[in-house]
Amino acid sequence: MHKTRAGIVGYGNMGRGAEKAIQQSPDFELAAVLTRRSPEDVSIKTPSAVKIHVDDALSLRDKVDIMILCGGSMSDLPVQGPAFAKNFNTVDSFDTHAKIPEYFNTMDEASKKAGRVALISAGWDPGLFSMNRVLAQAVLPHGSGCTFWGKGVSQGHSDAIRRVDGVEAAVQYTIPIATAIEKARKGNGGLLTTREKHIRECFVVAEEGADKSEIENSIKTMPHYFSDYDTIVHFISKDEFTSNHSGMPHGGFVIHSGKINDIRQTMEFSLNLSHNAEFTASVLIAYARAAYRYYQEGKTGALTVLDIPLTYLSLKSDEDLRKELL
Amino acid sequence: MHKTRAGIVGYGNMGRGAEKAIQQSPDFELAAVLTRRSPEDVSIKTPSAVKIHVDDALSLRDKVDIMILCGGSMSDLPVQGPAFAKNFNTVDSFDTHAKIPEYFNTMDEASKKAGRVALISAGWDPGLFSMNRVLAQAVLPHGSGCTFWGKGVSQGHSDAIRRVDGVEAAVQYTIPIATAIEKARKGNGGLLTTREKHIRECFVVAEEGADKSEIENSIKTMPHYFSDYDTIVHFISKDEFTSNHSGMPHGGFVIHSGKINDIRQTMEFSLNLSHNAEFTASVLIAYARAAYRYYQEGKTGALTVLDIPLTYLSLKSDEDLRKELL
């Protein structure tokens, strides 16, 4: 089998997860890890892969079939996404929901010009959760749907806090509110406001001498991330942070409940994840498979998980899928 | 909006459910109900729809855009499916898993010759559950997956019992075994045999003078349906049947759990259905939308839910889906 040669852009939690997911996928090989650090300072687990500075990406143009963009959505992907889409097939997990239409258009233009495919927002939300929202609305159009996250650490939100001036380390837990979950299961999830569904709890290590009240205010008023929620900010020591807040659990569920003439039908999709970034990376690799197949079929432009038939995600033939899994 | 003109073939529980689902879908209108009974004896809820004998289906060739085949998988669909696919776009919920490859090929040949689309096996299992099995295997290839059904009434299995000689009425409850569910959540679902996962419990009303031990034996040894399970058969009176076994609840879940280096990731999709046939009919209408779009794009042949991107199921534009649901 010709293996699809993947490049990983950004070797943090998600990049390392992508490397593991590639190792589990017999149709993929890791060709390169691209980093903003000095490549010699980065220790990777795939001896055959090239380590290279992200600025030298163009030298990989004929050596990488698809780039797995593992940067953050706030400041990395808006720049890296279009830059890479000009020269490579790409897949990413862009997760700033409010900015997806704009990001899609930017990536669509860049990838179409380059004759490449850019599959955006392929994680679990946006991603698998989005798929279940669309499916449930189509099957039960008179129903009411609701998405809950947590309890768990949100990478995107933790990342956003760490970019606030004076923050040394931070983690954010998203906590669903129990009474809201019950309402959703009874079909009343559509009436809940953003604030009624989740609390955002933040544990922050401040830099020495930093203005804590200013940090707290910057977090609580941050648009898209915190301003629509009841947010709790705790300042803790570096030691407490390391001891108690180093894991990356997450999860959540998409509930959709339709009731017609006293007949209730409820669809629920849930995830229980010990490691959010590694799971997101696993989704990225499955969708990298699909994106590269689209490219091989001559398609170009931006795509999302909603555009991809499930057959494209699997290593099995369509015939075997019908026989074994349908 | 030009409405898609649907025909319902078979006006039992699922056919009536399809009529309700069409009423909830602004892009569909019910053009005709086709029945094996005398049309004048069938009372439908859509005054504008034609009632017609199934033998006169050809007269609808220019009046129906897609036929919703609501017959049973054991003896109706193997005959009706290919017969209708020769002249119409079709969607069905063929659910004899072991015979899907053969049925797919038959429907593919018939629909391709006719220049039509035939979307098969579009219910919840096969159907939505199949989608989740494929998705989970693709995302967590080193994980272990398991599907459970119930507790609930299986239409297909109840139907199969009713076709046994000497049976007046029957209902079959599929009951998942609790210890098996726990094993699946811990990632050991793949080791379970069919028999370890579910019990099949049947409540049967025998015709007067029928040989009950022969009925019981016919049920328990029926291939595909009962022979691989521990099956319990109860004979009850018609009155008890009517009072206690007239509902059609069902549900179940697809659990997939992957564990790598002590990191467990679990995906779960579940349904809690008050009315199985109506839910299946809702799925059929969503996939009828997709099938007719495929036909309008010039595609032909057989398809399954695994071939359809989620965008095709929705009334919303791709742009609105990205904005509102991604």
Side-chain angles (χ1 to χ4, degrees):
Chain A
M1 192 194 322
H2 168 75
K3 293 196 177 197
T4 303
R5 300 165 301 173
I8 290 174
V9 182
Y11 197 68
N13 282 316
M14 207 189 300
R16 288 192 295 273
E19 184 177 28
K20 279 196 199 176
I22 287 168
Q23 285 167 351
Q24 287 175 52
S25 303
D27 56 332
F28 273 95
E29 65 179 329
L30 180 59
V33 170
L34 295 85
T35 175
R36 279 181 299 212
R37 289 176 274 171
S38 296
E40 60 269 24
D41 294 346
V42 175
S43 168
I44 67 173
K45 298 212 168 88
T46 309
S48 59
V50 174
K51 293 186 291 181
I52 193 170
H53 194 275
V54 73
D55 291 345
D56 300 324
L58 268 185
S59 68
L60 297 169
R61 216 170 169 279
D62 300 319
K63 292 171 188 149
V64 166
D65 297 316
I66 186 159
M67 288 291 187
I68 320 296
L69 306 184
C70 297
S73 298
M74 206 175 195
S75 51
D76 298 333
L77 290 175
V79 178
Q80 284 183 348
F84 276 90
K86 276 179 198 159
N87 291 291
F88 297 94
N89 298 303
T90 63
V91 60
D92 68 53
S93 62
F94 184 80
D95 68 359
T96 311
H97 288 263
K99 294 188 174 176
I100 284 176
E102 179 190 335
Y103 185 68
F104 180 90
N105 291 337
T106 305
M107 292 297 276
D108 193 47
E109 196 186 332
S111 56
K112 271 192 181 136
K113 266 190 198 157
R116 300 281 187 162
V117 168
L119 202 156
I120 72 157
S121 301
W124 56 274
D125 197 354
L128 309 190
F129 274 18
S130 325
M131 293 163 67
N132 279 279
R133 287 189 285 264
V134 173
L135 180 64
Q137 277 205 5
V139 172
L140 299 174
H142 281 202
S144 160
C146 205
T147 302
F148 293 91
W149 302 272
K151 181 184 175 176
V153 175
S154 163
Q155 288 172 267
H157 289 79
S158 299
D159 199 42
I161 301 175
R162 283 191 289 266
R163 287 166 204 275
V164 170
D165 275 350
V167 171
E168 187 184 333
V171 65
Q172 191 263 192
Y173 296 93
T174 306
I175 306 169
I177 297 169
T179 50
I181 294 176
E182 286 314 304
K183 281 185 187 165
R185 289 204 168 118
K186 289 178 184 151
N188 302 316
L191 304 170
L192 296 163
T193 64
T194 297
R195 202 175 290 275
E196 285 171 333
K197 288 165 63 186
H198 298 90
I199 290 166
R200 296 204 178 274
E201 188 172 26
C202 314
F203 293 85
V204 179
V205 182
E207 286 171 0
E208 220 177 300
D211 181 338
K212 291 182 180 174
S213 69
E214 197 174 306
I215 291 173
E216 183 167 345
N217 185 54
S218 296
I219 295 169
K220 289 185 171 177
T221 58
M222 197 185 295
H224 305 311
Y225 285 84
F226 293 100
S227 61
D228 295 334
Y229 298 86
D230 286 336
T231 301
I232 301 163
V233 178
H234 307 280
F235 288 95
I236 59 174
S237 71
K238 189 70 189 276
D239 284 351
E240 188 185 338
F241 184 84
T242 308
S243 307
N244 300 338
H245 300 285
S246 296
M248 211 179 270
H250 216 319
F253 38 99
V254 178
I255 299 174
H256 190 96
S257 187
K259 191 176 179 184
I260 310 142
N261 306 339
D262 280 331
I263 291 172
R264 174 166 305 291
Q265 317 275 33
T266 304
M267 303 170 68
E268 189 164 330
F269 177 76
S270 62
L271 294 171
N272 186 350
L273 309 174
S274 299
H275 198 296
N276 185 358
E278 287 199 5
F279 184 76
T280 301
S282 298
V283 178
L284 280 178
I285 299 307
Y287 278 93
R289 176 177 298 126
Y292 190 58
R293 287 193 189 163
Y294 266 72
Y295 170 73
Q296 288 177 304
E297 291 176 3
K299 289 167 191 156
T300 64
L303 294 164
T304 78
V305 297
L306 303 178
D307 299 304
I308 308 291
L310 290 158
T311 52
Y312 277 73
L313 302 181
S314 178
L315 267 175
K316 293 180 193 274
S317 70
D318 292 3
E319 213 167 351
D320 284 347
L321 287 175
R322 286 193 296 268
K323 191 176 170 185
E324 296 167 21
L325 293 175
L326 189 68
Chain B
M1 194 193 321
H2 168 75
K3 293 197 178 197
T4 303
R5 300 165 301 172
I8 291 174
V9 183
Y11 198 68
N13 282 316
M14 206 188 303
R16 289 191 295 274
E19 184 176 29
K20 277 196 199 176
I22 287 167
Q23 285 168 349
Q24 287 174 51
S25 303
D27 56 332
F28 273 94
E29 66 180 328
L30 179 60
V33 170
L34 294 84
T35 175
R36 280 182 300 214
R37 290 175 273 172
S38 295
E40 60 269 24
D41 294 346
V42 175
S43 169
I44 67 174
K45 298 212 169 87
T46 309
S48 58
V50 174
K51 293 186 290 180
I52 192 169
H53 194 276
V54 72
D55 291 345
D56 299 324
L58 268 185
S59 68
L60 298 169
R61 216 170 170 279
D62 301 320
K63 290 170 190 152
V64 166
D65 297 315
I66 186 161
M67 287 291 187
I68 321 296
L69 306 183
C70 297
S73 298
M74 206 175 195
S75 50
D76 297 334
L77 291 176
V79 178
Q80 284 183 349
F84 275 90
K86 277 179 198 159
N87 291 291
F88 297 95
N89 298 303
T90 64
V91 60
D92 68 52
S93 62
F94 184 80
D95 68 358
T96 311
H97 288 265
K99 295 189 174 175
I100 284 175
E102 179 191 335
Y103 185 69
F104 181 90
N105 291 336
T106 305
M107 292 296 277
D108 193 46
E109 196 187 331
S111 56
K112 271 192 181 135
K113 267 191 197 157
R116 300 282 187 161
V117 168
L119 202 156
I120 72 156
S121 301
W124 57 274
D125 197 354
L128 308 190
F129 274 18
S130 324
M131 294 162 66
N132 279 279
R133 287 189 285 263
V134 172
L135 180 64
Q137 277 205 6
V139 172
L140 299 174
H142 281 201
S144 159
C146 206
T147 302
F148 293 91
W149 302 272
K151 180 184 176 174
V153 175
S154 162
Q155 287 173 268
H157 289 79
S158 299
D159 199 43
I161 301 175
R162 283 191 290 266
R163 286 165 204 276
V164 170
D165 275 351
V167 170
E168 188 184 334
V171 66
Q172 191 263 193
Y173 296 93
T174 305
I175 306 170
I177 298 169
T179 52
I181 294 175
E182 285 313 305
K183 282 184 188 166
R185 288 203 170 120
K186 288 177 184 151
N188 302 317
L191 305 169
L192 296 164
T193 64
T194 298
R195 202 175 291 275
E196 285 171 333
K197 289 165 61 186
H198 298 90
I199 291 166
R200 296 203 177 275
E201 189 172 26
C202 314
F203 293 85
V204 179
V205 181
E207 287 171 359
E208 219 176 299
D211 182 337
K212 290 182 181 176
S213 69
E214 198 175 305
I215 291 173
E216 183 167 344
N217 185 56
S218 297
I219 295 169
K220 288 184 171 178
T221 59
M222 196 184 295
H224 306 311
Y225 285 84
F226 293 100
S227 61
D228 296 333
Y229 298 85
D230 286 336
T231 301
I232 301 163
V233 178
H234 306 279
F235 289 94
I236 58 173
S237 70
K238 189 70 189 276
D239 284 352
E240 188 185 337
F241 184 85
T242 308
S243 306
N244 300 338
H245 300 285
S246 297
M248 210 179 270
H250 217 319
F253 36 100
V254 178
I255 299 174
H256 190 96
S257 186
K259 191 176 178 184
I260 310 144
N261 307 337
D262 281 331
I263 291 172
R264 174 167 305 292
Q265 318 275 34
T266 304
M267 303 169 68
E268 189 164 330
F269 177 76
S270 63
L271 294 171
N272 186 350
L273 310 175
S274 299
H275 199 295
N276 185 357
E278 287 199 5
F279 185 76
T280 301
S282 298
V283 177
L284 280 178
I285 298 308
Y287 279 93
R289 177 177 298 126
Y292 190 59
R293 286 193 189 163
Y294 266 72
Y295 170 73
Q296 287 177 306
E297 290 177 4
K299 290 167 190 156
T300 65
L303 294 164
T304 78
V305 296
L306 303 177
D307 299 304
I308 309 290
L310 291 157
T311 51
Y312 277 73
L313 302 182
S314 178
L315 267 176
K316 292 179 194 273
S317 70
D318 293 1
E319 213 168 349
D320 284 347
L321 286 175
R322 287 194 295 269
K323 192 176 170 187
E324 296 167 21
L325 293 174
L326 190 66

